[in-house]
Amino acid sequence: MTVKYVSTRGRAPILDFGDVLLAGLAADGGLYVPDRWPVLSTHALSGSPGLGDYADLAAEVMWPFVDGAYPRARFDELVRNAYAGFAHPDVAPMAELGDGLWLMELFHGPTLAFKDIALQVVGRLFDEELARRGERVTIVGATSGDTGSAAIEAVRDRENIEIVVLHPHGRISEVQRRQMTTVGSANVHNVAVEGTFDDCQDLVKAMFADAAFRARHRLSAVNSINWARVMAQTVYYVAAVTRYGLEQVSFSVPTGNFGNVLAGHAARQMGLAIDRFIVASNRNDILTQFFTTGTMAVSEVHPTLSPSMDIQVSSNLERLLFELLDRNGIRTGQILADFRATGEMQIDARVAAELDRGWSGVRVDDAETTATIAGLYRDTGMIIDPHTAVGLAAARRSRPGSNGPMVVLATAHPAKFGEAVEAAIGVRPPMPAALAELAGRPERCERLPNDLSALKAHVARCSALGSG
Ligand SMILES: *Cc1c(COP(=O)(O)O)cnc(C)c1O
């Protein structure tokens, strides 16, 4: 039976994969989730000898979510192409740090951060679906740094797609900015918003909430609310467990919008034996509050050394909440509306107890982040980026008592955050050639105020470009 998709707020139409892929956000403001969790095939769980390489595993794990949307052979081919450009043959290799602690490197894609793993697949699926329908879309997204360049790399020069990416002006690293603004493709449009990442995200949400505008310009999203991204990210959790023969493993996941760790949750729901998720946050610790006390209160966003995690309201938490509330969309919608209105949320004791069994929240500040980068370099010579360091510090703090294996997800190449790394270890991490080349290239970017009507006017102009 084919998987269908329902909204976490219970008032949007039930859709097939192709529609969910193009829609992004649901019409009721909710996020799409599969109507049930498919069970991982024994083939997917058999590990590398039985299955071939990462692309084979990826196609096998994702297939139940897309079954009916593509012929299997075509889907396999799209997935294979998506991973062909990765710099490491294993796509997501692991290194053991000792004592059952592992580092899984998710940054071997074209923009050197983990988001490539999903977006290289999603860009191809978009293209395929649009071509099949004879349609075009304008993708609009907000980025706190890495999503934007990964989305741009995934769709640049595609015929049926314009892409508009908002980033908070002056709040992303220079390398991150250049990775986006130096792309010369005519279908790529960068916007620097005078505000925070949450402001950017609010602008995008407000624009999507205007149904007429959204329909007129065929708006679509590929940020981490898009189900297809979560789907593609489930694969490396399966790879970590099956290829390295780990049992009752826990994952420490440096978290911002909660998309990465939610994919782990999906893998666990599909039958993968995972013990705990360590939700690792920087000083922006609203999730730490949530996982330790069952309450959340919004405060302002603080800039940190791990900017891709400088987020207060993590969109993808809604998907977990929906399940914790027994998939009651109306109730989920109410709680989120109250949260929006009051800035506070409290879940009941039963739900909190359920969370306690499989989740921990850990906060790591900048000083500990820096000390973690320095300590690992001193002890092993390995260089990690600040996001990964938050994950590693959280993993170490969560481990006394439980000696099962733990995998830290390394989400960015250290050279993307060279200044913070240099401040910690005294040397600049070696810059891969692909990044070094960006320095001399011209940049293209429009600076706009934090204002919805200015943004809409700009998006309308961009979306008109390709259709002429
Ligand atoms: C996006 C990002 C994160 C946070 O991932 P979420 O899916 O938003 O939780 C962590 N580290 C890096 C380097 C990122 O780019």
Side-chain angles (χ1 to χ4, degrees):
M1 215 173 64
T2 312
V3 169
K4 302 266 189 204
Y5 293 87
V6 298
S7 165
T8 50
R9 300 198 189 170
R11 296 182 193 273
I14 294 172
L15 300 182
D16 292 333
F17 179 80
D19 292 318
V20 166
L21 175 72
L22 298 188
L25 202 66
D28 59 3
L31 309 188
Y32 275 107
V33 287
D35 63 353
R36 74 207 139 79
W37 295 108
V39 176
L40 285 168
S41 67
T42 43
H43 197 205
L45 289 170
S46 67
S48 46
L51 203 81
D53 62 9
Y54 188 90
D56 292 324
L57 176 68
E60 180 69 16
V61 170
M62 291 190 281
W63 178 248
F65 292 113
V66 306
D67 189 0
Y70 314 89
R72 177 70 195 249
R74 178 63 181 148
F75 182 66
D76 288 359
E77 186 184 354
L78 289 168
V79 173
R80 177 150 302 282
N81 291 341
Y83 294 115
F86 276 59
H88 196 289
D90 289 347
V91 178
M94 290 226 289
E96 191 171 6
L97 298 179
D99 255 355
L101 197 57
W102 298 75
L103 207 60
M104 186 173 220
E105 296 177 0
L106 302 178
F107 52 72
H108 294 286
T111 71
L112 306 175
F114 90 97
K115 292 178 176 81
D116 290 328
I117 293 190
L119 283 165
Q120 286 295 313
V121 173
V122 172
R124 283 167 173 80
L125 297 184
F126 252 77
D127 206 33
E128 184 80 2
E129 186 68 24
L130 290 168
R132 194 176 67 75
R133 298 178 184 213
E135 290 176 4
R136 45 182 305 110
V137 294
T138 302
I139 290 174
V140 181
T143 184
S144 56
D146 291 325
T147 325
S149 55
I152 287 168
E153 281 300 327
V155 307
R156 61 186 295 181
D157 301 320
R158 296 263 147 86
E159 258 183 41
N160 300 308
I161 301 175
E162 299 292 319
I163 181 166
V164 182
V165 175
L166 281 61
H167 68 261
H169 177 73
R171 288 174 190 250
I172 63 175
S173 76
E174 174 166 354
V175 169
Q176 286 178 323
R177 191 189 72 239
R178 286 185 176 279
Q179 280 186 307
M180 298 192 288
T181 58
T182 61
V183 173
S185 308
N187 70 332
V188 172
H189 313 279
N190 285 286
V191 177
V193 173
E194 290 159 354
T196 64
F197 170 65
D198 281 353
D199 293 331
C200 295
Q201 193 157 252
D202 285 346
L203 285 170
V204 172
K205 280 198 172 173
M207 200 164 52
F208 274 90
D210 179 344
F213 185 84
R214 179 177 158 177
R216 185 159 358 112
H217 301 290
R218 290 219 35 100
L219 297 192
S220 185
V222 294
N223 57 21
S224 67
I225 58 174
N226 194 299
W227 166 256
R229 281 194 46 191
V230 175
M231 168 186 84
Q233 290 171 175
T234 60
V235 176
Y236 46 78
Y237 289 91
V238 180
V241 170
T242 60
R243 313 198 142 207
Y244 295 85
L246 304 182
E247 279 174 28
Q248 284 304 314
V249 59
S250 295
F251 286 88
S252 178
V253 187
T255 304
N257 238 335
F258 207 72
N260 195 355
V261 70
L262 188 93
H265 168 73
R268 181 158 68 182
Q269 297 297 93
M270 292 162 76
L272 194 68
I274 296 175
D275 187 23
R276 285 186 97 67
F277 292 107
I278 313 302
V279 179
S281 301
N282 61 25
R283 185 181 164 199
N284 298 290
D285 61 352
I286 185 168
L287 289 170
T288 315
Q289 286 174 46
F290 182 72
F291 286 101
T292 51
T293 67
T295 61
M296 295 206 296
V298 182
S299 64
E300 76 213 59
V301 181
H302 301 286
T304 71
L305 295 175
S306 45
S308 300
M309 298 157 62
D310 290 349
I311 290 169
Q312 279 289 326
V313 180
S314 304
S315 322
N316 271 296
L317 188 66
E318 178 164 343
R319 288 188 161 113
L320 179 63
L321 211 54
F322 175 67
E323 289 197 65
L324 291 169
L325 297 168
D326 300 322
R327 300 194 146 228
N328 182 336
I330 303 304
R331 180 103 183 86
T332 308
Q334 272 164 2
I335 288 186
L336 286 158
D338 289 350
F339 180 54
R340 195 112 199 120
T342 64
E344 286 176 30
M345 180 191 301
Q346 177 155 23
I347 52 170
D348 66 42
R350 175 192 66 82
V351 175
E354 199 174 318
L355 273 184
D356 227 29
R357 279 199 293 277
W359 302 81
S360 307
V362 176
R363 170 198 206 264
V364 177
D365 65 17
D366 277 354
E368 191 178 357
T369 303
T370 301
T372 303
I373 297 171
L376 187 70
Y377 182 64
R378 191 187 53 231
D379 296 343
T380 69
M382 285 178 73
I383 305 179
I384 55 172
D385 99 290
H387 303 78
T388 306
V390 169
L392 178 58
R396 286 194 177 132
R397 220 184 308 148
S398 321
R399 282 194 91 223
S402 112
N403 289 317
M406 185 173 288
V407 177
V408 178
L409 297 184
T411 52
H413 190 290
K416 285 196 89 163
F417 301 92
E419 278 168 40
V421 172
E422 184 174 7
I425 64 175
V427 287
R428 198 89 180 176
M431 178 85 82
L435 282 190
E437 284 164 12
L438 301 180
R441 298 217 186 122
E443 296 188 61
R444 284 166 56 235
C445 185
E446 179 92 11
R447 184 162 160 185
L448 291 180
N450 177 13
D451 176 74
L452 185 58
S453 54
L455 178 68
K456 278 182 166 170
H458 185 67
V459 168
R461 277 194 301 277
C462 297
S463 84
L465 284 179
S467 35

